Amino acid sequence: MTILPKALLIVAALGLAACKNPDRFGAGGAGGADGAGGFGAGGIGMTGLGDPNDPTSIAYFNQAVGDRVLFAVDQSTLSPEARMVLQGQAQWLNANPTYAIIIEGHADEQGTREYNLALGARRASAVQDFLISQGVPQNRMRTVSYGKERPIEVCSDEACYAKNRRAVTVLSMGAGV
Amino acid sequence: MTRNRTLSALLGIAVALLAGVVSPVAAQQGPLRITITDGVIEPLPFAVPGFVPENGAAGEYAANITRVVAADLAGTGLFREIPREAHISTVSNFDAPVAFADWQAINAQALIVGAVGVSGDQIVVKFRLFDVFSGQQMGEGLQFAGTPGTWRRMAHKVADAVYSRITGEGPYFDSRVVYVAESGPKNQRVKRLAVMDYDGANVSYLTDGASIVLAPRFSPTGNQILFTGYESGFPRIYLMDLNSMGVQALAQTEGNMTFSPRFAPDGRTVVFSLERGGNTDIYALDIGSGSVRQLTNSPSIETAPSFSPDGSQIVFESDRSGTQQIYVMPASGGEGQRISNGPGRYGTPVWSPQGDYIAFTKQNAGRFHIGVMRTDGSEERLLTASFLDEGPTWAPNGRVIMFTRESAGAGGQAALFSVDISGRNLRQIPTDGPASDPAWSPLLP
């Protein structure tokens, strides 16, 4: 995968910022929702993206290794191209074992909400399974599906849909997942 | 029956309309000037002169209640209000004899006369419904009492009684809708749970928008809400108590995502989807004991479960055939029987509160539809079509459906719409901003 535009890096940073927010439901939700045991608020911390010229930085992983793979409509099978990217990811992740890994699965907007959540989970899981097969320990990884809730491209054409049908490997410091 | 000859004739028409079967022959038999051409119903003209304020404090309430009663009825598309300016008579005494000739002269078929009294923290609303052309009262007069803050609910109760008496259908105006209020750009949507009256009034927000919330559902008693939230960073089902506003995570299973929750009619069981290793199946949770039972076991996606109103069956969607289709299984689980058979994909099935229909989202040829079918899959009827319609929810009387409609493109936004089950009277529900995932409450007590 070629060097990704700077915009992606910013989006990735925003994604991390959103994740680290220890948000409550507010509006009187106090006695309420439990944080995710050991994996919620704070678990994702403020990891610096680092210098993209540093081959052990998250920025390098995102840009040079490639943090995402794309899927065909309704599919969760990995294309030969996706496998190449994921082999690169696995190599890098095995060489940099301190990062914790969350694999986000996403769908395009052409689908119902629940189905897209399930489809995003399939995609994230397909990536996780492949990374495991390449020697990345399962206990470093966790999957999450956003369904169609977080498109990266906002047009309603196949050009955008193709980029939204994705699984993104998101890194943070601390392998103690 | 005999004393309401004219409105009874109308009743036949209204029921036919709601069932989606319009019979021009039947329309020509009645004495009423109801014209049906090309399947278009002429709504029933009614008059609602201002409710009589019985004391000084009641004036504003009386005017507002009259307005809401008229809006409820006209909003169904089955009734048309004859504007105040056309009235010949005024009503200044709730108990005075009705001057039927004056209402006949302006062709009002139904007349609603009401009065409002306020004393201290109590408001009393009463009304009578008249069949103008037979010169008869229709049903007995009713009186509602409560605190002044509930004046809108009392207006809805009056309109519900009128609607039910004339159409023969169950009431639904006195109900609420929980939904997701949306803001922000498409790639960074902020989503908050909100609840409002069925007509968009009295909005209050239940969450602060810090994390994504999806698809809330009311409990059978209307005082609890299930939803899917990302508060922990991972989708998980939650239960909110609307009285205490307390929120409780349900079915905590580390490493698995849970979503698409819905109550059983008993209010104690929740069905939901649980994802494990990329595969999604349907489970049932007993809220009291916390015990979880697996209902489907298949390598395909099984989600969007919804109980039949008697609690004996569950309708759900599965892509085991290669595309999303609708299946029905016993409440105890199992393989299920496929009921959707047309072209395209079918999802988000919801059993009608009357048990007679299943509403669904259909995708076909690049378009989305809301539709209904019988519980065996027969008599499929599409009610809407657009770039993206999804997620139907039933009004408490099972005759109106609300859903999400989202527009296309970078500036695309979601809004709430309603449509009756004949496919008529498509309307946007007024909300403060973009909105999605509506769920209708049961009728309020």
Side-chain angles (χ1 to χ4, degrees):
Chain A
M1 180 169 263
T2 51
I3 302 294
L4 292 168
K6 203 173 185 179
L8 270 187
L9 198 111
I10 293 164
V11 168
L14 281 174
L16 284 173
C19 283
K20 80 164 177 67
N21 190 352
D23 43 55
R24 311 299 300 178
F25 285 111
D34 194 29
F39 207 93
I44 313 235
M46 275 270 239
T47 308
L49 290 175
D51 181 348
N53 295 317
D54 170 3
T56 68
S57 71
I58 292 176
Y60 181 89
F61 176 83
N62 291 348
Q63 297 180 46
V65 178
D67 66 348
R68 65 198 57 205
V69 295
L70 304 180
F71 296 87
V73 176
D74 248 359
Q75 296 303 309
S76 58
T77 47
L78 299 169
S79 66
E81 204 180 357
R83 284 164 182 271
M84 291 251 301
V85 172
L86 293 177
Q87 274 163 2
Q89 284 190 7
Q91 235 167 35
W92 191 94
L93 292 167
N94 287 330
N96 296 276
T98 53
Y99 291 105
I101 303 156
I102 294 177
I103 302 157
E104 297 180 354
H106 297 266
D108 67 32
E109 69 188 353
Q110 313 168 93
T112 48
R113 204 175 304 290
E114 295 86 348
Y115 181 79
N116 278 341
L117 277 176
L119 180 59
R122 264 186 187 163
R123 287 172 176 164
S125 187
V127 167
Q128 177 173 256
D129 289 348
F130 188 86
L131 292 177
I132 290 170
S133 77
Q134 301 294 304
V136 180
Q138 179 159 16
N139 64 9
R140 283 179 69 190
M141 294 188 277
R142 190 153 177 198
T143 59
V144 60
S145 174
Y146 283 93
K148 61 176 173 176
E149 303 304 316
R150 284 288 178 264
I152 197 152
E153 300 288 340
V154 294
C155 76
S156 293
D157 301 314
E158 175 54 24
C160 289
Y161 295 160
K163 292 178 182 160
N164 290 334
R165 293 189 298 263
R166 68 198 193 277
V168 184
T169 306
V170 178
L171 306 184
S172 60
M173 285 307 284
V177 184
Chain B
M1 282 299 134
T2 49
R3 71 191 169 86
N4 287 320
R5 232 162 41 94
T6 50
L7 282 178
S8 297
L10 170 88
L11 171 75
I13 302 300
V15 169
L17 165 92
L18 287 162
V21 182
V22 176
S23 162
V25 178
Q28 286 159 11
Q29 288 169 348
L32 292 179
R33 280 172 247 162
I34 295 172
T35 53
I36 301 170
T37 41
D38 297 329
V40 177
I41 300 277
E42 184 63 31
L44 172 79
F46 72 97
V48 53
F51 279 24
V52 179
E54 298 201 312
N55 50 40
E60 197 180 335
Y61 288 108
N64 286 335
I65 287 169
T66 313
R67 178 174 52 78
V68 170
V69 170
D72 280 347
L73 293 171
T76 64
L78 300 175
F79 299 88
R80 175 173 62 80
E81 187 189 10
I82 297 177
R84 199 74 59 82
E85 307 82 75
H87 295 188
I88 298 168
S89 278
T90 57
V91 174
S92 52
N93 179 346
F94 180 67
D95 294 315
V98 172
F100 288 110
D102 287 352
W103 302 105
Q104 289 166 1
I106 60 171
N107 195 32
Q109 312 280 350
L111 172 71
I112 304 155
V113 174
V116 179
V118 176
S119 60
D121 62 353
Q122 165 120 328
I123 181 170
V124 175
V125 179
K126 49 193 178 180
F127 84 97
R128 291 193 182 102
L129 171 64
F130 296 96
D131 174 345
V132 170
F133 281 83
S134 71
Q136 302 281 343
Q137 185 171 327
M138 196 175 176
E140 63 172 343
L142 287 179
Q143 173 173 306
F144 303 98
T147 57
T150 62
W151 69 266
R152 280 188 124 270
R153 285 200 54 201
M154 282 188 255
H156 291 320
K157 289 277 188 213
V158 170
D160 268 333
V162 171
Y163 169 88
S164 286
R165 286 176 188 184
I166 296 179
T167 65
E169 299 289 346
Y172 73 95
F173 303 129
D174 187 24
S175 60
R176 308 207 81 198
V177 171
V178 62
Y179 65 100
V180 173
E182 300 192 358
S183 58
K186 195 170 177 178
N187 57 359
Q188 203 66 33
R189 267 307 185 243
V190 174
K191 296 197 166 194
R192 309 169 66 187
L193 286 185
V195 63
M196 64 183 183
D197 294 353
Y198 97 100
D199 58 0
N202 284 330
V203 178
S204 57
Y205 295 93
L206 307 176
T207 62
D208 62 10
S211 56
I212 299 172
V213 288
L214 303 172
R217 310 289 181 211
F218 270 107
S219 63
T221 51
N223 56 8
Q224 292 177 311
I225 288 170
L226 290 166
F227 63 98
T228 303
Y230 281 72
E231 191 245 10
S232 69
F234 298 84
R236 173 166 287 176
I237 59 174
Y238 293 92
L239 176 66
M240 177 183 282
D241 185 294
L242 288 178
N243 299 320
S244 70
M245 299 298 283
V247 176
Q248 174 191 353
L250 296 179
Q252 298 243 39
T253 43
E254 192 56 38
N256 298 307
M257 107 187 182
T258 52
F259 60 103
S260 195
R262 201 184 282 272
F263 277 101
D266 66 12
R268 298 189 302 270
T269 307
V270 171
V271 281
F272 63 100
S273 276
L274 184 149
E275 174 266 338
R276 186 169 274 152
N279 179 40
T280 297
D281 273 305
I282 294 170
Y283 292 71
L285 164 75
D286 181 89
I287 298 178
S289 70
S291 70
V292 170
R293 203 157 38 89
Q294 184 166 1
L295 301 184
T296 66
N297 187 0
S298 138
S300 46
I301 290 172
E302 275 73 37
T303 188
S306 167
F307 274 93
S308 61
D310 68 1
S312 69
Q313 291 172 289
I314 295 172
V315 63
F316 64 100
E317 63 170 78
S318 167
D319 72 347
R320 66 184 66 161
S321 73
T323 59
Q324 281 170 281
Q325 299 293 338
I326 297 175
Y327 296 76
V328 173
M329 66 179 172
S332 55
E335 289 276 299
Q337 181 111 30
R338 178 169 163 178
I339 63 164
S340 57
N341 290 300
R345 311 200 289 177
Y346 297 78
T348 76
V350 192
W351 217 299
S352 143
Q354 293 192 345
D356 52 354
Y357 286 104
I358 287 167
F360 56 84
T361 305
K362 175 167 175 160
Q363 288 169 260
N364 191 33
R367 303 274 284 173
F368 277 73
H369 309 270
I370 301 298
V372 293
M373 58 175 62
R374 293 291 181 181
T375 58
D376 63 0
S378 64
E379 296 180 39
E380 175 180 329
R381 194 160 70 230
L382 299 183
L383 310 179
T384 73
S386 91
F387 167 72
L388 207 177
D389 287 349
E390 76 169 294
T393 180
W394 290 95
N397 72 349
R399 289 298 171 260
V400 180
I401 287 170
M402 200 178 289
F403 61 97
T404 305
R405 170 167 288 182
E406 194 154 350
S407 53
Q413 289 189 328
L416 307 186
F417 279 75
S418 67
V419 66
D420 74 40
I421 62 165
S422 68
R424 293 186 180 79
N425 201 37
L426 179 71
R427 280 167 190 263
Q428 184 171 350
I429 310 301
T431 49
D432 283 348
S436 61
D437 291 6
W440 221 310
S441 78
L443 194 71
L444 298 178

